[in-house]
Amino acid sequence: MAAEASGNDLVQVVALLAAGVVAVPIFKRLGLGSVLGYLAAGLVIGPFGLRLFTDPQAILHVAELGVVMFLFVIGLEMQPSRLWGLRREIFGLGAAQVFVAGALLTIAGTLAGYPPIVAFVAGMGFVLSSTAIVMQIVNERGDAATPAGQRIMSILLLEDLAIVPLLAIIAFLAPGGAEAGGQSRWVEIAIALAALAGLIAAGRWLLNPMFRLLAAAEAREVMTAAALLVVLGAALAMQLGGLSMAMGAFLAGVLLSESTFRHQLEADIEPFRGILLGLFFLGVGMSLDLSVIATDWPRILALVAAFMALQFTATYTVARLTGADHAEALMRASLLAQGGEFAFVLYAAAFAVGILDAKTQAVMTATVILSMALTPLLVIMIRRLQPRPEQSMEGVDLADNLSGRVLMVGFGRFGQIVSQPLLLRGVDVSIIDNDIEMIKAASTFGFKVYYGDATRLDILHAAGAGRAEAVLICVDKGEAAVRIAEHIKAEFPLVPVLARAYDRRISMELVRAGVDYQLRETFEAALLFGEEALVKLGVDEELAADTVAEVRKRDKARFDLQLVGDISSGLTYLKGNVPVPAPLQQPRQSGRALNEETAAAMQGRAAD
């Protein structure tokens, strides 16, 4: 920010914050994701939009710390044993990805008319996908901890590592590089190894004692400063050693992943990581040089289309050859079909030694930025075009002509417990559910569960609801429970119906639907919990039981009033924790109960 030529830095700070605050919610509401929102916002406020910024590189220089912190947080989740378990994915799958994609892109660049060396640099730069963009999308989808997400992370780690040998190759390919680089390259390698060894040694033997000492001082701000010091110090050490700052931060995170201070470190870093990572995406959006695109748009668009298609093809092919199914391979290919932030480093190094001229560097940089901007759209398109995976019905029987004495609808946690006293007494229970995975899992524990959607009247007939002596509705969705109860009471009015209620509102709807018994799913458990809490506080067991019985009695009285009134009725029976002056202790119908239930009622929904 200090590098900006404008004298009013506060205007620029406000512009950056406003751009993100306005654009990201809009793009997420449209289903386009936060990354595309940041990129679009950066383009609007950058040199080719409102011109609030004229030097996006100054923003990117600071915002790279967001990528650094992002990888540190990822490293905290990757214990050394877990990282060692991914060694085949990192060095096998990742290396195959880089080699195959790099070869295809180099060939494409050569066919496009570039000299082989230029084509190699351009292609290999495009291979290095954006860790920041990919992991942000993966995290937003909640796939970071899945096996598929771990394989994507492994590829990205190898691509980040690949920047080191690629920079060495550029030095070797530079005019005069082969003659001048012999001894200096060995020195650079030695410095890099020394920096790596120093970081590992510090992580193993210095960091934990340091954090223990700082924790004893009980100064929260010092712990936050120490967390930032570790991240930035590791990044600086790697940078001075000629390695990637992001990899240094990742390694520091891995070394601290088994520390007792891991969660504290993650909490301290997270706010800085989120803001700076958003700043990085804004900087990338600002860096899109529309004048270069306007001057040479046919070539740039052709390169974007060709490079993304080839990267997509290479990634999909490697994924399928290494055992991934079609859906995983397709999603991985859409995520990695773009260049990344390390391409800027590689192209700048190639320009500095004379491999790339200024025009070629600008064209390649624009190609990479456009591919980064298009990636979220490509992911969304692939996701929407891809048919939903059909669940296999193998081993699952449909509910048809069942004749159990009791019909149980829903076999989640609640239903499983309810079934035990019935089965223990030898009651014949027919069980139906519409969750195929749960049905298969239940079979491994000795339960026969049939597939059927009980909100459909024909399924209730097939499941034997009319022949059953009782129907137990144990589903976890309140609206579905009410619909099932209405169907049964309309079609089989003489069959007793017992229903699980999600909350107080659903309890009232079930009573109005005519069920013979309903129970709020957390009510009795919460009463037992409260009774045990009283006992632990020294209250006599009999008195604690009487107190809970009084709560149950008051709740029933309140419920009866709500049935004939509305959700706000019966507040007389609700005990709040707000002190009320003696003259004002008369019961009122509103404004006193400040607990979770009445707060939710104010919003139109009473939770239990």
Side-chain angles (χ1 to χ4, degrees):
M1 189 66 71
E4 287 293 324
S6 173
N8 194 346
D9 289 345
L10 186 57
V11 171
Q12 295 173 335
V13 171
V14 171
L16 284 171
L17 295 175
V21 168
V22 172
V24 172
I26 293 174
F27 274 73
K28 291 196 76 171
R29 188 69 179 266
L30 294 173
L32 301 176
S34 62
V35 174
L36 200 58
Y38 280 121
L39 295 173
L43 183 60
V44 169
I45 65 176
F48 300 96
L50 300 177
R51 298 187 60 81
L52 296 176
F53 295 86
T54 56
D55 185 11
Q57 293 305 316
I59 300 296
L60 276 175
H61 184 69
V62 176
E64 282 176 2
L65 297 178
V67 181
V68 167
M69 293 180 183
F70 186 58
L71 280 177
F72 176 76
V73 172
I74 292 174
L76 286 174
E77 303 295 331
M78 300 284 288
Q79 289 83 2
S81 57
R82 188 175 172 190
L83 193 61
W84 178 251
L86 291 172
R87 64 191 183 279
R88 291 184 180 178
E89 284 81 2
I90 295 172
F91 295 103
L93 180 60
Q97 167 75 27
V98 170
F99 178 79
V100 174
L104 284 178
L105 292 172
T106 300
I107 294 171
T110 304
L111 294 176
Y114 290 107
I117 293 177
V118 173
F120 171 78
V121 172
M124 295 309 297
F126 201 89
V127 166
L128 307 179
S129 301
S130 173
T131 301
I133 288 179
V134 174
M135 290 310 298
Q136 180 81 357
I137 295 173
V138 170
N139 279 343
E140 286 180 355
R141 295 181 59 201
D143 293 339
T146 64
Q150 293 293 296
R151 284 187 280 272
I152 290 173
M153 182 63 207
S154 300
I155 294 171
L156 292 171
L157 284 176
L158 194 281
E159 290 179 353
D160 287 349
L161 285 171
I163 189 64
V164 179
L166 285 173
L167 289 173
I169 291 172
I170 283 179
F172 182 82
L173 293 176
E179 294 80 7
Q183 185 174 356
S184 63
R185 277 198 298 275
W186 285 111
V187 172
E188 291 170 0
I189 292 172
I191 293 174
L193 292 175
L196 190 61
L199 180 59
I200 293 174
R204 288 181 62 88
W205 294 299
L206 294 180
L207 293 183
N208 274 315
M210 180 187 77
F211 281 112
R212 278 195 293 269
L213 184 64
L214 294 175
E218 297 183 353
R220 175 64 187 272
E221 69 278 3
V222 176
M223 286 291 288
T224 302
L228 291 172
L229 175 63
V230 168
V231 178
L232 302 181
L236 179 61
M238 292 295 98
Q239 185 184 44
L240 294 176
L243 300 173
S244 162
M245 288 195 302
M247 285 306 302
F250 174 80
L251 185 57
V254 171
L255 293 171
L256 287 168
S257 61
E258 295 180 336
S259 167
T260 54
F261 303 99
R262 178 171 70 89
H263 297 293
Q264 180 67 49
L265 288 169
E266 188 170 356
D268 288 338
I269 291 296
E270 184 63 26
F272 301 97
R273 191 275 303 176
I275 292 173
L276 287 173
L277 194 59
L279 193 61
F280 172 79
F281 296 135
L282 284 168
V284 171
M286 293 180 207
S287 300
L288 186 59
D289 193 335
L290 296 184
S291 64
V292 172
I293 297 176
T295 302
D296 205 2
W297 64 267
R299 176 179 290 271
I300 292 174
L301 293 182
L303 285 173
V304 170
F307 277 17
M308 290 189 73
L310 289 172
Q311 179 106 318
F312 186 98
T313 301
T315 305
Y316 181 86
T317 302
V318 170
R320 294 292 281 165
L321 291 176
T322 52
D325 60 27
H326 172 71
E328 180 185 342
L330 206 59
M331 188 50 61
R332 189 192 303 172
S334 63
L335 283 167
L336 299 179
Q338 32 104 6
E341 50 274 9
F342 286 117
F344 307 146
V345 178
L346 197 68
Y347 295 159
F351 174 71
V353 298
I355 294 178
L356 298 182
D357 56 34
K359 181 180 179 181
T360 303
Q361 183 195 10
V363 167
M364 293 303 169
T365 300
T367 300
V368 168
I369 294 174
L370 277 176
S371 72
M372 293 168 74
L374 289 173
T375 295
L377 292 174
L378 178 62
V379 171
I380 292 169
M381 183 184 72
I382 293 294
R383 191 186 308 166
R384 290 181 177 176
L385 292 178
Q386 201 172 0
R388 290 189 177 183
E390 294 184 3
Q391 292 181 300
S392 171
M393 293 289 289
E394 184 178 356
V396 176
D397 294 331
L398 297 176
D400 185 25
N401 200 30
L402 305 184
S403 57
R405 185 178 173 188
V406 170
L407 173 62
M408 177 178 288
V409 180
F411 200 63
R413 293 173 300 158
F414 189 91
Q416 292 162 24
I417 297 172
V418 171
S419 72
Q420 291 306 288
L422 298 173
L423 295 173
L424 197 61
R425 297 299 301 172
V427 176
D428 182 15
V429 181
S430 297
I431 308 171
I432 66 172
D433 202 297
N434 61 358
D435 186 337
I436 294 176
E437 294 302 320
M438 191 286 304
I439 293 174
K440 292 180 178 178
S443 68
T444 63
F445 291 92
F447 293 96
K448 179 62 179 179
V449 182
Y450 296 88
Y451 179 82
D453 181 0
T455 60
R456 291 172 47 185
L457 191 56
D458 59 321
I459 297 297
L460 288 172
H461 276 284
R467 297 182 292 274
E469 295 180 26
V471 176
L472 314 183
I473 304 174
C474 302
V475 297
D476 58 358
K477 293 181 175 59
E479 288 73 13
V482 173
R483 196 177 309 121
I484 294 167
E486 290 172 343
H487 281 325
I488 295 173
K489 279 302 178 181
E491 190 75 8
F492 317 109
L494 299 180
V495 177
V497 177
L498 295 80
R500 165 196 186 181
Y502 173 75
D503 57 20
R504 198 175 198 88
R505 179 178 62 84
I506 296 298
S507 287
M508 295 166 63
E509 291 187 24
L510 287 169
V511 171
R512 289 166 182 149
V515 300
D516 300 271
Y517 176 80
Q518 53 75 32
L519 177 68
R520 303 199 300 279
E521 60 186 28
T522 58
F523 183 66
E524 289 296 333
L527 289 180
L528 290 174
F529 195 96
E531 182 178 347
E532 188 62 27
L534 289 175
V535 172
K536 293 299 182 185
L537 291 172
V539 178
D540 179 74
E541 290 188 8
E542 185 175 350
L543 181 56
D546 290 343
T547 303
V548 169
E550 177 65 18
V551 172
R552 189 180 283 108
K553 179 181 177 182
R554 291 163 67 95
D555 183 82
K556 184 179 185 307
R558 180 182 168 216
F559 188 82
D560 290 341
L561 287 174
Q562 288 175 321
L563 282 174
V564 297
D566 57 31
I567 198 68
S568 299
S569 302
L571 291 182
T572 304
Y573 295 99
L574 198 61
K575 179 67 175 175
N577 66 341
V578 177
V580 181
L584 301 178
Q585 287 183 353
Q586 294 300 320
R588 293 184 295 169
Q589 290 300 306
S590 63
R592 279 202 63 231
L594 300 179
N595 55 25
E596 179 181 348
E597 180 162 311
T598 52
M602 294 174 192
Q603 301 172 7
R605 174 186 175 277
D608 202 320

